Amino acid sequence: MEHRTPGQDPGRLHAGAGGGAAPRDMAVDAAPVDTGATAPSTPPSRPSSPGSGRSDRVATPPGDLPAAGRGTTPPEPAAEHPAQSAREEAERVPGTPTDRLRYLEAATRRIAGGIDRDETLRELCRAAIPAFADAMLVHLRDPLPTGDRPPDGPLALRLHSIAQGPEDSVTGAPPGTADFVELTVTGPFAELLLAGRPVFGDAAEIAPAVGELLEPVASTPTTRSPGRWLIIAPLHGRHQLLGTAALLRGTDRPAFTGDDLLVASQLATHTAFGIDRAMLSGREASLADALQLTMLPSSLPAPTGVRLASRYLPAAETSQVGGDWYDAIPLPGNRVALVVGDVMGHSMTSAAIMGQLRTTVQTLAGLDLPPEEVLHHLDEQAQRLGSEHMATCLYAVYDPISQRLLVADAGHLPPVLLHPDGVGEVLRIPPGAPIGVGGVPFESVEMPAPTGATLLLYTDGLVESRTRDVWSGVELLRARLQAAASVVASPPLETLCDAVLTILGRGARDDDVALLAARFDGFPPRNVAYWFLNPEPQTAARARQLTRRALHRWGLDPLLDTTELLVSEVVTNAVRYASRPIALRLLRTDVLRCEVGDDSPQVPRMRRAQAGDEGGRGLFLVDRLAQRWGATRLSTGKVVWFEQPIPEECRAADP
């Protein structure tokens, strides 16, 4: 690069003493700042006051960053010397109070446009150089403080970026200097920085640290001190010191004045607030992501008769977190509830509302309510959370024994069913109003769920984009499922989910994506025994007889005595309270499960029987002899169930 004299290159900085080394020559390779200014019509006059600009010229203020010391001559047309005029105007320094205000207005507006920490610092450098200074070094605290609590340990600064020259050139820390440029600040200099006041380079408090601060651009020492050609401005946020900005001028330019300290203070303050805002936004986004991921299922259950797979993709980093969720909830009788929902809006509030609604759905599912009842109570809960909170939800219950599917929809997109023959179908479900509207009935639809079929539940982030409407996306989803099935019959669920996600493309997503796939395997009828028994005194004996026949047919003779005793106790308890026929069902899966249902809502509880009591000991037997047992309240009564492990010698003899 051609070397120039100080009069030729205003960005050239001379070294100095005063506690350490000082700046060296700073070369510039970047393009000039495009300020949109026009060239002056006559040679400009000198500035009217010191510190108002370079001593050899004055230019008309640029449109983006106004400069001080305006000339009185009218400008020539912009087409004559546009590049030279833009450069001259960008190098102007605010001199008069009016010009300083104009400069600060444009500069702070530019700094406020940064959307993250690094962009905010780049805008600071571009606003300050060369209009206010010839070079800038930005040091950030290491580590950056988070929250309101003062960080532990000494005050350590690490070089973040350097901007230099009369033209725009902002770079990161020089390669290999990451450790070299870290310094620990103590004593009066640390107190000065924590106080948040900018100072000149000749301040007694900073003299020992000037050399370390300027080390990355230092040249051979000379007798000249940086003095008032250097301003150290602390970047002080709302509660904490975030770093420092060192502003330097070359020797061919007037030194900083007391008014320039105020300008530097404003630049540093707005920059620190921008960094603070970016850090706060990042923490909120991180917390919202963590909150949402915590509320989603950590794993899916493995109920008998159905296989499950899921995907969740958060929105792009530039978008706020949403409220999409999915769930699979085991129900009595080997059934499973399949749920997908989407809280409207994108914020931490949406994620929190999603967590509350998901918890409510799990509670309602435990009551074994019909899908329309679940959505009704969920709608009531959403209204209690506030009328401004709305969500869509689809709730389906799959019964592998009857191979039926019961579905209710609250404003959500319809599921897609991939039939065993590879044909995709968008299911027709009555679209109810979204959750939170209130006063709108919901309707359940029952349909066959053939063995080998795959049900896909999803949120609108999968099918809707800026270039595709939602219903075109649903049709594309159906076609993609059908295409995957045409290549491999009954493709694995994981492969199928990956194939579905290819419709998203490679662009950034504006919304979350939740996906739940269920492959219906059904339940072999030969492994089910089902009876209805009248609530009569002899019912317990009849139940023992039927149980013995079923277990003998399944080759489970080692379990006969224990199972008969447990069935007798549970059926006797049901006869005591039932007014309608009792349902007795035996299921042979990896365990032997027995279910006894009646129309009484009173759920049995273990209690300690007194010496003279005739009853009250049956559940103690069930608790002691069964591997697991429980009772579930239904909308039509209750179900008491227990499970027993199948002996290893009986597992090979599959009936």
Side-chain angles (χ1 to χ4, degrees), residues 488-514:
V488 178
S490 297
L493 284 184
E494 299 295 335
T495 302
L496 195 63
C497 289
D498 293 338
V500 164
L501 293 178
T502 59
I503 70 175
L504 291 172
R506 297 184 178 180
R509 296 181 302 277
D510 297 327
D511 199 0
D512 298 359
V513 176

Side-chain angles (χ1 to χ4, degrees), residues 225-290:
S225 168
R228 298 210 169 188
W229 277 266
L230 168 66
I231 290 179
I232 303 295
L235 301 175
H236 206 285
R238 295 178 304 161
H239 305 287
Q240 303 287 347
L241 175 70
L242 304 178
T244 65
L247 299 151
L248 301 101
R249 283 184 181 174
T251 56
D252 59 337
R253 191 169 183 176
F256 289 114
T257 67
D259 290 336
D260 292 328
L261 284 180
L262 299 177
V263 174
S265 177
Q266 288 294 312
L267 294 177
T269 298
H270 284 274
T271 301
F273 284 168
I275 297 174
D276 236 356
R277 183 176 61 251
M279 292 171 59
L280 180 61
S281 176
R283 287 197 300 271
E284 288 182 349
S286 177
L287 288 173
D289 288 337

Side-chain angles (χ1 to χ4, degrees), residues 238-540:
R238 295 178 304 161
H239 305 287
Q240 303 287 347
L241 175 70
L242 304 178
T244 65
L247 299 151
L248 301 101
R249 283 184 181 174
T251 56
D252 59 337
R253 191 169 183 176
F256 289 114
T257 67
D259 290 336
D260 292 328
L261 284 180
L262 299 177
V263 174
S265 177
Q266 288 294 312
L267 294 177
T269 298
H270 284 274
T271 301
F273 284 168
I275 297 174
D276 236 356
R277 183 176 61 251
M279 292 171 59
L280 180 61
S281 176
R283 287 197 300 271
E284 288 182 349
S286 177
L287 288 173
D289 288 337
L291 175 66
Q292 185 172 27
L293 291 175
T294 301
M295 291 179 176
L296 290 172
S298 57
S299 62
L300 293 174
T304 302
V306 61
R307 285 173 285 168
L308 302 171
S310 65
R311 293 289 188 276
Y312 173 77
L313 300 179
E317 293 183 359
T318 54
S319 302
Q320 290 182 302
V321 68
D324 295 17
W325 92 90
Y326 63 90
D327 216 340
I329 309 168
L331 301 177
N334 285 86
R335 294 171 300 148
V336 60
L338 308 172
V339 191
V340 67
D342 185 1
V343 177
M344 297 181 183
H346 293 80
S347 64
M348 186 178 292
T349 302
S350 299
I353 294 298
M354 177 271 286
Q356 295 185 65
L357 294 182
R358 178 174 176 246
T359 301
T360 302
V361 170
Q362 290 179 324
T363 303
L364 294 171
L367 300 177
D368 202 14
L369 300 175
E372 71 273 11
E373 288 294 321
V374 171
L375 295 183
H376 171 74
H377 291 294
L378 187 64
D379 180 58
E380 290 182 334
Q381 174 64 14
Q383 293 179 68
R384 284 191 287 269
L385 295 175
S387 59
E388 70 278 9
H389 302 309
M390 299 178 64
T392 63
C393 182
L394 189 138
Y395 187 92
V397 175
Y398 169 65
D399 188 343
I401 297 175
S402 64
Q403 298 186 10
R404 305 290 292 178
L405 187 68
L406 194 60
V407 190
D409 187 7
H412 202 81
L413 294 173
V416 178
L417 183 66
L418 181 64
H419 289 272
D421 59 1
V423 176
E425 177 189 4
V426 180
L427 299 182
R428 297 179 179 272
I429 311 297
I435 298 297
V437 172
V440 180
F442 300 99
E443 181 180 352
S444 292
V445 175
E446 188 174 9
M447 60 191 67
T451 298
T454 303
L455 184 71
L456 199 70
L457 309 181
Y458 54 93
T459 57
D460 57 359
L462 177 65
V463 295
E464 187 177 20
S465 68
R466 297 178 181 179
T467 60
R468 182 176 61 230
D469 67 86
V470 63
W471 294 112
S472 299
V474 172
E475 179 58 28
L476 178 60
L477 172 62
R478 185 199 65 80
R480 190 61 53 88
L481 281 173
Q482 197 163 291
S486 65
V487 176
V488 178
S490 297
L493 284 184
E494 299 295 335
T495 302
L496 195 63
C497 289
D498 293 338
V500 164
L501 293 178
T502 59
I503 70 175
L504 291 172
R506 297 184 178 180
R509 296 181 302 277
D510 297 327
D511 199 0
D512 298 359
V513 176
L515 176 67
L516 179 63
R519 174 72 49 79
F520 301 144
D521 291 336
F523 200 91
R526 65 180 181 273
N527 289 349
V528 182
Y530 202 105
W531 305 277
F532 286 99
L533 306 173
N534 291 323
E536 301 171 346
Q538 61 271 26
T539 299

Side-chain angles (χ1 to χ4, degrees), residues 563-577:
T563 306
E564 280 191 61
L565 176 60
L566 297 180
V567 167
S568 180
E569 292 294 339
V570 176
V571 169
T572 299
N573 189 76
V575 169
R576 181 177 179 183
Y577 297 100

Side-chain angles (χ1 to χ4, degrees), residues 3-172:
H3 292 280
R4 304 177 183 176
T5 64
Q8 293 172 320
D9 188 354
R12 188 181 182 89
L13 298 181
H14 292 272
R24 74 168 80 186
D25 299 346
M26 298 185 183
V28 178
D29 298 325
V33 178
D34 183 10
T35 61
T38 57
S41 59
T42 60
S45 59
R46 288 180 175 273
S48 57
S49 60
S52 62
R54 296 187 180 275
S55 59
D56 57 345
R57 58 178 175 269
V58 176
T60 304
D64 190 23
L65 295 175
R70 296 172 181 265
T72 58
T73 55
E76 288 182 352
E80 187 150 344
H81 302 290
Q84 180 182 356
S85 174
R87 175 173 173 172
E88 290 176 354
E89 293 179 16
E91 293 173 357
R92 295 296 318 289
V93 182
T96 67
T98 301
D99 290 331
R100 286 192 180 92
L101 290 176
R102 290 174 179 170
Y103 167 77
L104 282 175
E105 179 185 2
T108 54
R109 184 171 63 248
R110 184 172 193 170
I111 292 170
I115 61 175
D116 56 25
R117 181 195 67 187
D118 292 341
E119 185 173 345
T120 299
L121 291 173
R122 282 195 297 268
E123 294 301 334
L124 166 66
C125 295
R126 290 164 180 164
I129 298 173
F132 185 69
D134 292 319
M136 171 183 284
L137 291 85
V138 176
H139 291 76
L140 292 182
R141 204 162 178 178
D142 185 26
L144 275 173
T146 58
D148 301 338
R149 181 181 177 182
D152 299 328
L155 174 55
L157 298 177
R158 184 182 292 273
L159 181 65
H160 176 273
S161 56
I162 300 175
Q164 54 190 10
E167 299 171 349
D168 185 25
S169 178
V170 181
T171 63

